[in-house]
Amino acid sequence: VPEFVVTAAAAFVGAVLGALAKQIFDYTAASRTQKAARRDIWEHMIVQAIDELAECTCLYWSSIVDDGEAAKIEGRARGIMIAIEGANDDLFKERVEVKRLCDSSLHAVRRAITGGTFECAERQQDLDRVREIQTACAELKRLIQGERAKLPLPLA
Amino acid sequence: MREIDVAKEFSARPAGRYHPKDGDATGQRFREQFLIDFWKRKPEKIVVNLDGLRFLTSSFLEEVFGGLVRQGYSKEFLDENLEVKLSGDRGPIYLGEIKEIIDAALKHKVAEKDRIA
């Protein structure tokens, strides 16, 4: 086989392998970036949801809202808590202990919000509950942000 | 023994305390129609299965389980005749809450008795 053919073949194989390696590298980097971005979105979404939850339920417990407004808040609070639960599961799916801590912290939020006369026809104003909700929501938020910051860089 | 599948036999969305003013799926209705009525006929063990319920409110749980204590059921009777089941990661958290509710209602009852005496 002429030498120039061997050289050309080697160059061709080298180029193909190089291009393949670059593709793999680019894919891996893009995948990592995408995973990190997804975590940011989850975190942002959860924090926003907690703020919304605290706001609407503190209105519910600090004043006597009319029945229509109360029903709206009760439904929204249930929905938000279910959504936070699911988002936490996704964000910390590889961290069982963290997931457990978040469940426990969300449970404290749930107890503060849905205790007393929640979903009752004769609702009463309960300012202790407002304080409890604010504290529990702040603790949940801090826990999620702190644990999110500790997550290792995503692998591709 | 009777096992009650709450989601299928009672409601997939239990809410509120008092029947009928808070709705149809209240804690009072569950306690009276599903637990107390059964115990009046047969003083046997009831297993309350909470699987399949997406969300439980503390007001509903308190009315069911705290209400049993307020209606005169003793710790001994409840230990022997009531079991609550909820599987999944969050099961132990809810079961812990139910235990706390029963303990708090018992404490409150003792305090009331002492106050009257």
Side-chain angles (χ1 to χ4, degrees), chain B residues 22-102:
Chain B
D22 298 343
D24 266 345
T26 62
Q28 182 186 16
R29 186 173 155 240
F30 181 76
R31 184 183 73 234
E32 288 176 353
Q33 293 183 6
F34 284 76
L35 304 178
I36 295 178
D37 281 359
F38 177 81
W39 280 328
K40 276 182 185 161
R41 292 193 307 273
K42 284 183 194 174
E44 279 180 18
K45 184 169 186 165
I46 297 178
V47 178
V48 176
N49 187 346
L50 298 173
D51 282 338
L53 295 171
R54 195 75 214 275
F55 191 84
L56 282 159
T57 64
S58 289
S59 57
F60 172 80
L61 293 175
E62 206 290 326
E63 193 52 43
V64 173
F65 300 103
L68 286 173
V69 175
R70 286 190 290 277
Q71 279 197 262
Y73 288 89
S74 66
K75 183 173 168 28
E76 293 70 32
F77 180 87
L78 295 176
D79 282 347
E80 211 173 299
N81 294 290
L82 180 69
E83 185 187 327
V84 184
K85 253 172 52 176
L86 179 58
S87 48
D89 289 351
R90 294 168 184 106
I93 297 178
Y94 277 106
L95 299 184
E97 179 182 350
I98 292 167
K99 194 183 170 304
E100 276 177 34
I101 286 171
I102 293 175

Side-chain angles (χ1 to χ4, degrees), chain A residues 75-95:
Chain A
R76 198 196 295 174
R78 275 179 180 256
I80 292 174
M81 283 186 271
I82 291 171
I84 292 174
E85 202 175 86
N88 276 344
D89 285 354
D90 277 323
L91 183 58
F92 299 116
K93 64 182 164 204
E94 282 138 25
R95 298 268 147 153

